[in-house]
Amino acid sequence: MDTSNLPLIPVPRQFDLTGDTFQLAPDRLIIIDSIDPQALWFSAQQLQDALRAFAEVRWQIVSGTVVPADQVGVNLSIVPGSVPHEQGYSLTITPGRIDVIASRPAGVYYAVQTLRQLLQQRADSLPALRCTDWPDFPNRGVMLDISRDKVPTMETLFDLVDLLASLKINQFQLYTEHTFAYRNHPTVWADASPMTGEQILALDAYCRDRYIELVPNQNTFGHMHRWLEHDAYKQLAEVLDGFDTPWGWHEGPYSISPSVPGSIDLVRDMLDELLPHFTSQQANVGCDETFDIGQGLSKNLVAERGAGQVYLDFLLKIYREVKARGYTMQFWGDIVMEHPELVSELPTDAIALEWGYEAGHKFEEHGARYHAAGIPFYVVPGTSSWRTIVGRTDNAMENLRNAARNGLKHGAVGYLNTDWGDDGHWQPLPVSYLGFLYGAALSWHGETNIALDIAQALNHYAFCDESGQMGSIVFELGNLYQDIGFPAPNSSALFSAMLYRPQILRERIGAIDDLDATQERIRVTEAKLDDLEQRLSQSNCQRPDAALIDQEFRWAINMLRHSCQRLRWLIGIVPDGPEIRQDLAGQADALIAGYDHIWHARNRPGGYEESVGRLKRMRDDYQNPPGQ
């Protein structure tokens, strides 16, 4: 099946053009053929809006079958058992009409998304075709980090949900540590501009109309430092002054201690207040990266029972609380995978989230382990946008492919694509569109989407760029991390050069034997940035936020330019002195001013000062000679 002249995302499972066309004449009807027409009302409205926007025809919506055949434009039908999968659909376009048949309303909605994409490309007629389609993974989700400083505005969230729904995503999660406005815990979120209960209810309803399940997500074991740093919660902390992690020393508190009775009481209180705002019957309770357990209050307990068993015992306490409230527990599976002998002790009605963000993550090995134990699991890759500014395209695409391939092989019940914001959440949201689109396509049907032209898809459905430039610009920007050298797992060297203080970065990079080769890599990177910025000027995005997208990518390009110059200064390619430091400080001030603008265009004010503080520390480095 060649769809190169008719790009769709996701590419359907079975799609055959018959050679005819269907003319989009005015005054046709959209027929809802279902015993519950209200269940298809929103889908019919979306199709009606697309016909008006792209074909400039106004088709009325009616229900029933008593309509003259020559007035039927499209028929939306629910026929139980008509399609093998409950989310599947059959789409047929003939010279006379369009027919959509599905077993459930969700299938009709997904057929309408395919029709909307066809209408976007063909203004006055549609190609006659036969399409039968259904997803590989029943649960296809995206998780957005709202706890590393950025909490998006409601407008931003609604826009993102619209994009994800058009890609047939059916789950959405907001990763939360301290950014839900708990009435019983106002100190924790006081400066964070959190999601309120009312806003969650509104977002849940918005998602539900688009066949997206908004899954509650609240870390309840590790990553609790935003709580434990306050006096009211310090007594629950496993440690207060810091602990060893696989990547070095971590200052301050982190996990709630499994040896303190009040810890599970806090979890109960969070669940009781948070969960009623969601219609989903699943709940992601986190529980990842609890590396401090056994280094503080639970030290004796861990010595007696072992770190893995102590972790599992507390995880099961949380599980019982979630189950008692009628929810299915999701939890990050990293700690259990460090103790594989415990996998078989997990409850078979909880869902493990097998996460890994490098191209070669062990989805094969770990998926086989969950499958053998009968534990339902999701594969959880990521967009590779965080700690990069502009992403890591090749890593993201292989990570997403690896997850889809091995998740399908070992029977994963879901695919959750994550977008994190570690160390300030500096990357603009549109940087993540590449990962969102490719992950959605692969989780729908890997076989037909693995070779997807992602740059073309970005042009059509993310940026609406009539010039055909933006997709390749974003793709190529995301691969600059490979040109500069200095590999950095889960990050890029260009990001690290701006985040870390001079002495720390020198220690991480180590001795550089060939300054000339390094200078050439930097020069090549800068030349590519110049070329990409020139091409950005030629783009022609037809979106309401097109001007903002242009500003975001220009800011990102300037950030990388600054990183290149900072690297030269840090490693001694250019001599240190007042003039170079003054120039670098001036660049940093301009980047900070630009960051202020693009941040507040999509996000709430809470968290901004903490995030921009990292940029200000970078600027402050230039006020002192290197090494001080």
Side-chain angles (χ1 to χ4, degrees):
M1 174 184 62
D2 181 11
T3 61
S4 58
N5 295 320
L6 198 66
L8 300 170
I9 182 167
V11 178
R13 184 178 296 264
Q14 298 171 6
F15 187 89
D16 298 301
L17 299 173
T18 64
D20 293 319
T21 60
F22 171 56
Q23 298 298 318
L24 296 168
D27 301 324
R28 293 289 192 100
L29 298 175
I30 299 172
I31 310 299
I32 296 178
D33 179 10
S34 171
I35 60 173
D36 181 12
Q38 289 297 326
L40 302 186
W41 171 243
F42 187 77
S43 298
Q45 282 187 307
Q46 282 207 328
L47 179 56
Q48 184 185 58
D49 291 343
L51 284 161
R52 184 185 301 114
F54 300 122
E56 298 182 350
V57 296
R58 175 68 164 86
W59 290 5
Q60 292 187 19
I61 302 170
V62 299
S63 182
T65 58
V66 188
V67 176
D70 61 350
Q71 296 181 22
V72 177
V74 58
N75 196 60
L76 307 178
S77 301
I78 295 292
V79 180
S82 59
V83 179
H85 194 285
E86 65 178 18
Q87 295 181 46
Y89 64 90
S90 171
L91 169 63
T92 304
I93 302 178
T94 67
R97 59 188 277 174
I98 303 169
D99 283 287
V100 170
I101 301 174
S103 299
R104 299 282 183 89
V108 171
Y109 183 80
Y110 298 138
V112 166
Q113 303 318 302
T114 301
L115 273 171
R116 291 173 70 203
Q117 291 186 7
L118 290 168
L119 286 165
Q120 186 173 339
Q121 298 175 59
R122 301 290 183 92
D124 57 355
S125 66
L126 293 178
L129 56 84
R130 290 185 296 271
C131 173
T132 304
D133 203 12
W134 66 90
D136 285 343
F137 293 91
N139 302 293
R140 304 170 305 283
V142 163
M143 188 222 75
L144 183 68
D145 185 352
I146 65 165
S147 289
R148 270 47 172 255
D149 304 333
K150 275 184 181 175
V151 182
T153 63
M154 292 300 289
E155 180 182 8
T156 301
L157 290 171
F158 290 150
D159 286 346
L160 180 57
V161 167
D162 282 335
L163 173 63
L164 299 179
S166 74
L167 303 171
K168 303 184 175 75
I169 289 294
N170 68 349
Q171 278 191 13
F172 188 44
Q173 301 189 21
L174 299 174
Y175 171 76
T176 305
E177 294 174 0
H178 66 300
T179 49
F180 176 73
Y182 288 98
R183 296 287 179 177
N184 292 328
H185 307 280
T187 304
V188 173
W189 50 264
D191 300 319
S193 299
M195 295 290 295
T196 66
E198 180 177 336
Q199 289 168 343
I200 290 292
L201 290 168
L203 183 61
D204 187 274
Y206 196 85
C207 287
R208 197 166 60 248
D209 282 344
R210 291 153 181 79
Y211 293 90
I212 291 179
E213 177 185 7
L214 183 65
V215 177
N217 181 318
Q218 169 64 64
N219 227 322
T220 57
F221 194 174
H223 288 277
M224 290 291 287
H225 52 290
R226 298 285 197 167
W227 295 67
L228 301 174
E229 64 190 17
H230 298 286
D231 289 342
Y233 306 95
K234 284 183 176 179
Q235 74 277 8
L236 304 180
E238 173 68 15
V239 299
L240 285 174
D241 299 325
F243 59 99
D244 285 316
T245 77
W247 53 83
W249 183 258
H250 186 284
E251 293 287 345
Y254 197 71
S255 301
I256 60 174
S257 177
S259 65
V260 178
S263 292
I264 197 65
D265 293 334
L266 176 60
V267 173
R268 290 190 189 104
D269 201 48
M270 289 191 293
L271 295 176
D272 283 341
E273 190 169 348
L274 177 68
L275 297 185
H277 295 90
F278 297 80
T279 52
S280 171
Q281 291 302 297
Q282 300 189 74
N284 184 345
V285 296
C287 302
D288 60 317
E289 297 185 323
T290 54
F291 299 121
D292 51 336
I293 299 306
Q295 298 186 45
L297 295 183
S298 67
K299 184 176 183 179
N300 291 337
L301 187 61
V302 167
E304 175 187 347
R305 295 181 55 77
Q309 192 62 53
V310 169
Y311 173 86
L312 180 62
D313 289 346
F314 194 71
L315 180 72
L316 292 176
K317 287 183 180 181
I318 298 172
Y319 159 77
R320 287 189 285 271
E321 295 298 332
V322 174
K323 186 174 182 180
R325 289 157 178 79
Y327 288 77
T328 298
M329 184 179 82
Q330 297 181 2
F331 68 99
W332 304 115
D334 56 309
I335 300 299
V336 167
M337 273 298 151
E338 292 183 1
H339 305 276
E341 72 280 2
L342 300 178
V343 172
S344 61
E345 297 185 34
L346 293 168
T348 57
D349 59 349
I351 298 172
L353 303 175
E354 173 55 36
W355 64 269
Y357 308 129
E358 294 302 307
H361 180 70
K362 297 179 181 179
F363 288 116
E364 163 83 66
E365 176 185 334
H366 295 176
R369 194 173 292 162
Y370 283 124
H371 178 75
I375 305 300
F377 71 100
Y378 284 16
V379 284
V380 184
T383 63
S384 296
S385 67
W386 59 97
R387 304 186 82 242
T388 67
I389 308 298
V390 293
R392 294 186 294 153
T393 297
D394 284 354
N395 182 81
M397 294 183 70
E398 180 52 31
N399 178 237
L400 294 162
R401 284 190 291 261
N402 180 13
R405 181 172 57 248
N406 288 298
L408 191 62
K409 178 178 179 179
H410 295 293
V413 298
Y415 183 109
L416 181 64
N417 189 7
T418 56
D419 194 57
W420 296 97
D422 300 47
D423 291 315
H425 214 144
W426 284 352
Q427 75 275 16
L429 179 62
V431 167
S432 302
Y433 290 170
L434 184 151
F436 290 155
L437 266 66
Y438 196 50
L442 292 172
S443 64
W444 181 265
H445 186 48
E447 184 178 346
T448 55
N449 286 279
I450 194 167
L452 179 73
D453 186 338
I454 191 64
Q456 184 185 50
L458 285 165
N459 285 329
H460 279 285
Y461 303 119
F463 298 112
C464 305
D465 181 22
E466 293 182 347
S467 76
Q469 290 282 343
M470 279 301 299
S472 59
I473 290 170
V474 173
F475 189 99
E476 292 172 39
L477 270 173
N479 270 333
L480 290 180
Y481 75 101
Q482 298 178 100
D483 294 323
I484 203 70
F486 313 118
N490 208 29
S491 183
S492 73
L494 291 170
F495 176 89
S496 298
M498 292 181 285
L499 178 71
Y500 294 118
R501 309 311 294 266
Q503 188 58 41
I504 294 174
L505 187 67
R506 290 191 190 90
E507 292 171 359
R508 287 175 176 262
I509 291 177
I512 299 175
D513 297 328
D514 192 339
L515 285 180
D516 289 339
T518 301
Q519 163 72 335
E520 178 60 17
R521 289 199 299 270
I522 294 173
R523 188 199 64 76
V524 168
T525 301
E526 289 175 323
K528 289 185 178 181
L529 288 168
D530 291 343
D531 176 66
L532 290 166
E533 186 173 38
Q534 177 62 34
R535 288 162 55 190
L536 185 62
S537 299
Q538 301 166 8
S539 64
N540 186 20
C541 297
Q542 299 298 304
R543 286 178 49 125
D545 61 348
L548 175 59
I549 288 173
D550 182 81
Q551 293 161 2
E552 288 170 320
F553 279 101
R554 289 185 188 280
W555 176 85
I557 287 170
N558 285 328
M559 281 282 281
L560 297 191
R561 277 205 189 98
H562 184 77
S563 181
C564 288
Q565 295 185 49
R566 181 174 166 89
L567 266 175
R568 284 195 184 93
W569 172 70
L570 285 167
I571 62 182
I573 291 176
V574 297
D576 181 49
E579 289 186 8
I580 183 65
R581 283 188 272 116
Q582 183 178 2
D583 181 51
L584 290 170
Q587 293 177 30
D589 282 333
L591 290 169
I592 289 167
Y595 191 55
D596 182 89
H597 171 70
I598 63 174
W599 172 290
H600 291 99
R602 296 194 192 275
N603 306 289
R604 307 174 195 207
Y608 172 72
E609 289 301 328
E610 185 170 341
S611 179
V612 79
R614 292 175 169 88
L615 286 174
K616 291 179 178 178
R617 285 194 294 274
M618 178 188 74
R619 179 197 59 197
D620 293 344
D621 290 337
Y622 306 132
Q623 297 176 359
N624 301 295
Q628 290 190 4

